[in-house]
């Protein structure tokens, strides 16, 4: 059978399975946080049992031993439904797995891969600190070797969904006597360990999706170290590249709410003196420019995926994906409010404005989280264009001799 | 001096902690600041002395509004003083001014101005709200400060002409419904007038009058926006001086310096345009519309950019409730919408310029 015919068979099989198993998620539904987490795990478990969880990963690591084409087909089919998921799932499936696969042992990958892909555990990311965000390598959380264990002390911040996470990926300083990104090591930490305390931070949305995470004499077995001592920075880079590449996944384009096609529809349905908002040349010019960017992202994403599949992961240009999409989100959602003039600043059942408000607020976080706009621009300039880095006061200086 | 006075009052009465408390309590305003402003004569700044005001100019109103904008002050100054009192002053007879203005000047009563309707944009006609005799009927939404106002100036249609009327909101034929808004520090409502008693302001009416009135409102609002933009810009500047990244002050990076310098540039132009609009309106002249539109568009864009980039410069902290960036992030959006969007003012501006360039056609 040809590849194409095989793909078609697989697609039909997946469709039938989803029709039977995902029926309750045919329409979008809102769940309270704890229920969303429970449902997300249950959904992964169900997929795992049917051989649809981590399709392209080896069976020994809890995957289905299939191909990346099959994985892509399943993803596209599943996207027709509103199956439950939350940040902790993506952190586990994509970011954590990339780190363990790229830097850990086969045994670690099999153990944690199985737990994750079976839906037993979800993850949070314990990277950022109050004085170490863009300058992540400036982090101060210390891990000190004690026999077969490490003892960790410090404070992490902006830990998304850590209050619902079973495990965390942690970066800590193990050697302060060398230059700042050389003395870092990567760990997996059980969030139920004594000494882990998660405190919610209220966001401008009113919700508390992220947290401060305090680590006080937390014991981590050396077996849960990923990569060599001092290899932590490389692990972080793997995680961050995966995070940035993911922003695109299944989002850009199409007719979903917030897409430029849907904006065109909404503008056409917005009455203006004797016509619609779409009669305005100013509106048309904006929509056209956004469409070009949106489609650019979608098509660029396809090229990125091809490159990633042919080995070597994402190229450094991946930085532009989040750079473009976050600003696009901000501009288009301001526009959705503008369309309705004064009324656009107020809730209305008809227009689903709460969602527009939320996305407009969220866009401001998107421009910061996981590499802020300015940091991404520096990466494009330095890594892609080969331009020199900024003058740095910290270059090559041992961490414990830095003046601040 | 006036500027310093208002700044000091805002610092004392509506610091950011108070703003957070008000949002949490779902409180529509800070009445204490309002009371003090009334006592000090700030509410009556532009109200004639004969009507219990101080009789100063438009310039003073603008300064006060700029400072309230800087503090995102939750008081109905724009509604009650910049819009409603100005409407009464400009459209009311001497007797009507003497009757309504003194209580607004002291702050004893609060008024608002209802112009927006569900299906028309600013200056689009016909209006769905109509006046017959001494009765007004129709839906007005969104109306700012609707829940704290005692009086409402309603823009309505009377026999095919724009006219303004005063309505006492405390009557059975007036139904007020609170709206849930993006900016919870300036609450709005929907008001349904069901043949409510009203009193028409008889000294001025017609679409040319309303258009000129909105030029004035837009100019005053531009000052509020410019005040907010300046606050956001300096908040970003201060943070960039405190924060160290890669061993350097964040503010020492050219990317940040250029970002803030661009905002400063937009802000200076917007402020200059707002001041020019205020002078032009005070003189009254053919260029008022273009001046007001330029003020409105420049101030809206400056505030929006300043508010967004201030949050951006703060990084993760900027996305937290405890930081103050979100007050401006929300307020900039509300003010961008609250008196005709940039899209609307763009058309008004270009029409005005085209008319000026080709007067014979405009007359036709
Ligand atoms: C919603 C949300 C969720 C998050 N979730 C997580 C999580 O789960 N786990 C985790 O570890 N972290 C998380 N983060 C943290 C995020 O990764 C950091 O906020 C981000 O890296 C920026 O760091 P910072 O907040 O310290 O800002 P800073 O690093 O202080 O940056 C402040 C500003 O300075 C700019 N800047 C930095 N360097 C330069 C330069 N050289 N030139 C010019 N400008 C510069 C930045 O672009 C930014 O605008 C989350 C953040 C958000 C907003």
């Amino acid at each position: 059978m040809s590849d194409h015919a095989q793909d078609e068979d697989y697609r039909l099989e997946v469709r039938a399975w989803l029709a039977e198993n995902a029926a309750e998620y045919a329409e979008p539904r809102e769940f309270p946080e704890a229920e969303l987490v429970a449902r997300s795990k249950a959904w992964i478990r169900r997929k795992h049992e049917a051989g649809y969880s981590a399709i392209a990963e080896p069976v020994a690591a809890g995957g289905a031993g299939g191909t990346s084409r099959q994985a892509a087909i399943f993803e596209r089919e599943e996207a027709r439904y509103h199956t439950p998921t939350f940040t902790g799932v993506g952190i586990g499936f994509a970011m954590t797995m990339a780190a363990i696969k790229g830097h850990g042992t086969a045994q670690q990958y099999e153990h944690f891969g199985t737990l994750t892909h079976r839906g037993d555990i979800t993850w949070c990311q314990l990277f950022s600190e109050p004085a170490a965000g863009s300058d992540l390598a400036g982090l101060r959380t210390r891990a000190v070797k004690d026999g077969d264990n490490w003892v960790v002390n410090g404070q992490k911040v902006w830990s998304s969904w850590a209050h619902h996470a079973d495990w965390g990926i942690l970066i800590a300083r193990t050697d302060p006597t060398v230059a700042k990104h050389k003395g870092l090591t990567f760990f997996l930490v059980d969030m139920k360990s004594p000494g882990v305390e998660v405190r919610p931070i209220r966001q401008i949305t009113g919700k508390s999706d992220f947290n401060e995470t305090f680590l006080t004499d937390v014991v981590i077995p050396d077996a849960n170290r990923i990569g060599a001592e001092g290899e932590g920075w490389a692990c972080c880079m793997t995680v961050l590249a995966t995070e940035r590449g993911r922003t695109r996944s299944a989002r850009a384009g199409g007719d979903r709410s917030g897409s430029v096609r849907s904006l065109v529809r909404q503008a056409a349905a917005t009455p203006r003196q004797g016509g619609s908002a779409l009669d305005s040349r100013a509106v048309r010019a904006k929509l056209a420019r956004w469409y070009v960017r949106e489609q650019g992202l979608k098509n660029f994403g396809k090229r990125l995926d091809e490159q990633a599949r042919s080995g070597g992961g994402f190229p450094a240009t991946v930085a532009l994906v989040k750079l473009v999409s976050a600003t696009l989100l901000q501009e288009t959602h301001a526009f959705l409010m503008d369309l309705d003039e004064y009324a656009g600043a107020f809730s209305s059942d008809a227009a689903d404005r709460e969602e527009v408000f939320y996305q407009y607020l969220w866009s401001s976080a998107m421009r910061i989280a996981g590499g802020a706009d300015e940091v991404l621009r520096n990466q494009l300039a330095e890594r892609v264009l080969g331009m020199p880095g900024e003058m740095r006061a910290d270059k090559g200086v041992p961490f414990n001799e830095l003046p601040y | 001096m006036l500027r310093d006075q208002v700044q000091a009052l805002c610092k004392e009465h509506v610091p950011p902690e108070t703003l957070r408390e008000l949002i949490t309590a779902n409180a529509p305003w800070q009445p204490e600041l309002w009371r003090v402003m009334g006592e000090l004569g700030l509410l009556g700044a532009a109200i004639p002395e004969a009507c219990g005001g101080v009789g100063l100019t438009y310039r003073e109103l603008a300064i006060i509004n700029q400072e309230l904008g800087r503090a995102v002050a939750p008081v109905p100054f724009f509604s009650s003083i910049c819009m409603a009192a100005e409407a009464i002053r400009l459209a009311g007879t001497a007797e009507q001014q003497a009757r309504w203005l003194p209580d607004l000047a002291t702050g004893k009563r609060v008024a608002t101005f209802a112009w927006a309707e569900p299906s028309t944009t600013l200056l689009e006609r016909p209006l769905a709200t109509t006046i017959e005799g001494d009765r007004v009927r129709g839906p007005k939404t969104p109306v700012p400060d609707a829940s704290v106002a005692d009086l409402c100036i309603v823009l309505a249609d009377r026999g095919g002409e724009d006219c303004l009327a005063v309505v006492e909101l405390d009557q059975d034929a007036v139904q007020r419904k609170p709206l849930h808004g993006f900016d919870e520090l300036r609450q709005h409502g929907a008001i349904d007038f069901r043949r409510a008693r009203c009193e028409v302001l008889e000294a001025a009416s017609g679409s040319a009058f309303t258009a000129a009135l909105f030029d004035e409102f837009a100019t005053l609002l531009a000052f509020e926006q410019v005040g907010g933009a300046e606050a956001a810009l300096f908040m970003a500047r201060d943070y960039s001086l405190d924060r160290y990244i890669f061993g350097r002050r964040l503010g020492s990076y050219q990317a940040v310096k250029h970002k803030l310098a661009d905002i400063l540039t937009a802000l200076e132009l917007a402020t200059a345009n707002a001041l020019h609009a205020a002078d032009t309106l005070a003189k009254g002249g053919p260029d008022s519309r273009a001046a007001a539109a330029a003020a409105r568009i420049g101030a809206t864009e400056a505030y929006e950019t300043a508010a967004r980039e201030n949050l951006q410069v703060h990084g993760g902290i900027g996305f937290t409730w405890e930081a103050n960036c979100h007050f401006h992030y929300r307020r900039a959006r509300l003010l961008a919408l609250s008196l005709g969007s940039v899209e609307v003012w763009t058309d008004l501006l270009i029409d005005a310029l085209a008319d000026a360039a080709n007067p014979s056609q405009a007359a036709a």
Side-chain angles (χ1 to χ4, degrees):
Chain A
M1 206 164 30
S2 71
D3 276 2
H4 181 73
Q6 272 181 9
D7 285 355
E8 264 327 289
D9 280 358
Y10 186 76
R11 188 190 311 282
L12 293 176
E13 172 197 312
V14 164
R15 260 190 208 166
W17 185 83
L18 284 167
E20 198 166 313
N21 289 274
E24 62 174 321
Y25 301 121
E27 295 299 322
R29 288 166 71 184
E30 292 276 334
F31 300 109
E33 264 184 28
E35 188 183 347
L36 176 65
V37 171
R39 281 179 176 268
S40 301
K41 287 180 169 180
W43 175 243
I44 296 169
R45 209 163 295 136
R46 197 185 266 194
K47 287 199 287 189
H48 177 78
E49 283 158 9
Y52 293 130
S53 178
I55 290 171
E57 298 305 311
V59 176
T67 66
S68 56
R69 292 163 70 104
Q70 291 176 328
I73 291 170
F74 189 90
E75 197 182 333
R76 220 167 303 136
E77 293 300 320
E78 186 182 350
R80 296 167 191 271
Y81 293 84
H82 303 269
T83 50
T85 187
F86 73 104
T87 307
V89 174
I91 295 178
F93 271 65
M95 291 145 67
T96 304
M97 289 306 124
I100 302 181
K101 232 165 127 172
H103 307 269
T105 63
Q107 207 182 355
Q108 285 172 326
Y109 185 54
E110 288 174 12
H111 178 69
F112 288 103
T114 302
L115 291 174
T116 305
H117 296 144
R118 209 161 61 191
D120 293 352
I121 60 172
T122 63
W123 295 80
C124 66
Q125 181 188 9
L126 305 173
F127 284 15
S128 305
E129 297 184 6
S134 304
D135 184 10
L136 181 59
L139 61 90
R140 293 168 191 189
T141 294
R142 278 283 273 138
V144 177
K145 191 86 180 274
D146 179 19
D148 283 343
N149 292 322
W150 295 85
V151 179
V152 181
N153 281 285
Q155 184 196 346
K156 295 292 175 177
V157 75
W158 323 129
S159 339
S160 299
W161 289 77
H163 53 306
H164 288 293
D166 303 295
W167 281 74
I169 45 177
L170 172 76
I171 176 87
R173 186 166 306 282
T174 44
D175 185 358
T177 68
V178 294
K180 58 199 224 180
H181 29 298
K182 296 209 171 123
L184 304 174
T185 304
F186 199 90
F187 299 97
L188 308 179
V189 56
D190 183 343
M191 294 297 283
K192 284 182 280 297
S193 310
V196 176
E197 192 199 340
V198 176
R199 290 187 207 155
I201 302 174
R202 189 162 175 202
Q203 301 168 337
I204 68 173
T205 56
K207 294 190 187 171
S208 299
D209 292 339
F210 59 31
N211 305 271
E212 292 175 289
T213 304
F214 295 88
L215 304 157
T216 312
D217 293 330
V218 175
V219 175
I220 300 179
D222 190 51
N224 293 341
R225 168 175 48 79
I226 299 297
E229 241 184 277
E231 197 186 325
W233 188 246
C235 301
C236 286
M237 289 303 102
T238 302
V239 170
L240 293 178
T242 314
E243 183 176 7
R244 279 160 207 168
R246 275 174 49 77
T247 314
R248 178 197 73 263
S249 69
R251 281 204 142 237
D255 205 20
R256 74 195 160 76
S257 86
S259 70
V260 178
R261 271 177 205 279
S262 80
L263 300 192
V264 170
R265 216 173 336 102
Q266 258 163 286
T270 304
R272 289 281 189 276
Q273 198 97 58
S276 81
L278 208 53
D279 300 334
S280 155
R281 299 223 173 238
V283 167
R284 286 169 169 247
K286 280 189 199 170
L287 292 170
R289 232 170 273 134
W290 288 328
Y291 183 77
V292 172
R293 275 202 266 163
E294 178 195 81
Q295 293 304 301
L297 274 183
K298 190 174 134 189
N299 295 322
F300 181 74
K302 280 190 212 148
R303 298 192 48 200
L304 272 185
D305 282 342
E306 279 159 21
Q307 274 171 279
R309 263 201 291 276
S310 62
F314 292 118
T317 47
V318 70
L320 69 80
V321 172
K322 197 176 77 74
L323 183 62
V324 176
S325 58
T327 304
L328 190 60
L329 190 72
Q330 192 168 50
E331 290 176 5
T332 51
H333 283 77
F335 172 79
L336 279 172
M337 292 168 78
D338 287 342
L339 257 190
D340 291 322
E341 290 288 322
Y342 207 169
F346 302 91
S347 292
S348 139
D349 302 336
D352 203 8
R353 278 203 204 96
E354 289 293 331
E355 176 63 16
V356 174
F357 297 168
Y358 182 81
Q359 293 296 343
Y360 183 70
L361 293 173
W362 177 245
S363 69
S364 72
M366 280 263 294
R367 289 184 55 195
I368 294 162
D373 285 1
E374 292 71 19
V375 170
L376 298 176
R377 288 197 180 95
N378 280 339
Q379 287 184 359
L380 292 170
E382 292 167 21
R383 293 199 200 149
V384 182
L385 297 176
M387 298 163 84
E390 296 266 353
M391 302 260 275
R392 297 176 58 156
D394 58 0
K395 198 98 191 173
V397 183
F399 181 77
N400 60 6
E401 288 171 25
L402 289 173
Y404 54 92
Chain B
M1 199 205 77
L2 174 61
R3 193 180 291 288
D4 297 340
Q5 187 184 23
V6 182
Q7 271 184 21
L9 280 178
C10 289
K11 272 214 182 82
E12 183 187 346
H13 291 280
V14 288
E17 301 75 60
T18 303
L19 300 184
R20 269 183 282 277
E21 283 163 20
L22 289 172
I23 296 176
T24 306
N26 193 25
W29 65 322
Q30 221 288 19
E32 183 56 19
L33 174 58
W34 192 248
R35 195 183 58 74
V36 177
M37 287 179 75
E39 274 175 17
L40 295 174
L42 294 169
L43 302 182
I47 291 174
E49 282 179 90
C51 300
V54 185
L56 296 174
T57 67
Y58 205 66
R59 245 344 226 278
E60 277 75 32
L61 266 193
I63 290 171
I64 296 169
N65 211 34
Q66 187 174 358
E67 293 312 316
L68 295 174
R70 193 188 303 277
V72 197
V75 285
F77 188 80
F78 188 73
S79 302
S80 193
I81 306 302
C82 298
M83 293 200 292
E86 281 296 282
I88 294 171
R89 188 173 71 82
L90 296 166
T93 62
E95 188 272 324
Q96 286 173 320
Q97 293 184 40
R99 192 142 44 86
W100 303 112
L101 290 178
D103 281 352
L104 299 187
T106 59
K108 189 174 158 215
R109 308 190 82 193
V110 172
T112 186
F113 188 96
W115 63 268
E117 295 190 351
S119 55
T120 45
T121 62
L122 187 91
L123 299 185
E124 255 185 31
R125 297 293 178 267
L127 292 163
T129 305
T130 54
I131 289 177
E132 267 176 63
D134 64 350
R135 299 285 154 164
V136 55
R137 83 192 307 168
K140 285 290 184 187
T141 180
V143 181
D145 302 300
S147 67
V148 297
D150 308 289
L151 294 179
C152 182
I153 312 300
V154 185
L155 173 65
D157 177 288
R158 184 174 63 173
E161 280 282 348
D162 281 9
C163 86
L164 297 175
V166 187
V167 182
E168 295 269 6
L169 290 174
D170 188 15
Q171 54 173 304
D172 288 345
V174 171
Q175 290 230 328
R176 285 187 262 188
K177 199 179 83 191
L179 295 173
H180 179 256
F182 184 62
D183 179 356
E184 293 157 291
L185 281 171
R186 182 161 297 165
Q187 296 197 350
H188 285 62
I191 306 186
D192 197 16
F193 298 99
R194 304 180 165 181
R195 289 184 47 77
R197 251 175 299 105
C198 70
E199 182 177 318
V200 172
L201 295 171
E202 291 290 4
S205 63
S207 57
F209 172 73
T210 5
L213 194 63
F214 280 118
D215 288 342
E216 178 182 339
F217 293 171
T219 302
L220 288 171
L221 190 62
F223 282 93
E224 188 172 339
Q225 293 172 302
V226 159
E230 208 174 323
L233 172 62
F234 284 96
M235 208 189 284
R237 196 271 317 258
D238 291 348
Y239 187 78
S240 81
L241 296 178
D242 279 352
R243 179 77 169 166
Y244 277 79
I245 300 186
F246 305 112
R248 278 170 52 179
R249 283 183 189 205
L250 176 56
S252 75
Y253 289 99
Q254 213 169 49
V256 176
K257 283 191 278 195
H258 285 189
K259 187 198 285 289
L260 299 192
D262 284 347
I263 295 170
L264 175 70
T265 302
L267 173 63
E268 288 296 335
L269 296 184
T271 309
N273 279 336
L275 287 166
H276 172 72
D279 290 346
T280 308
L281 288 169
K283 285 191 218 100
D287 296 333
S288 307
R289 164 54 48 85
R296 168 77 178 145
I297 293 169
T300 301
E301 292 182 347
Y303 194 13
E304 194 105 87
T305 312
R308 287 182 188 171
E309 299 311 313
N310 174 40
L311 197 157
Q312 178 69 17
V313 165
H314 278 72
I317 293 269
F319 194 59
T320 65
W321 165 255
E322 289 304 323
N324 302 326
C325 308
H326 60 110
F327 299 131
H328 292 290
Y329 194 72
R330 291 176 184 271
R331 179 56 53 91
R333 212 70 286 283
L334 174 67
L335 297 189
L337 295 168
S338 59
L339 202 69
S341 70
V342 167
E343 186 197 331
V344 167
W345 284 96
T346 299
D347 281 341
L348 293 175
L349 172 61
I350 299 303
D351 286 348
L353 295 180
D355 287 352
N358 197 349
S360 62
Q361 244 184 357

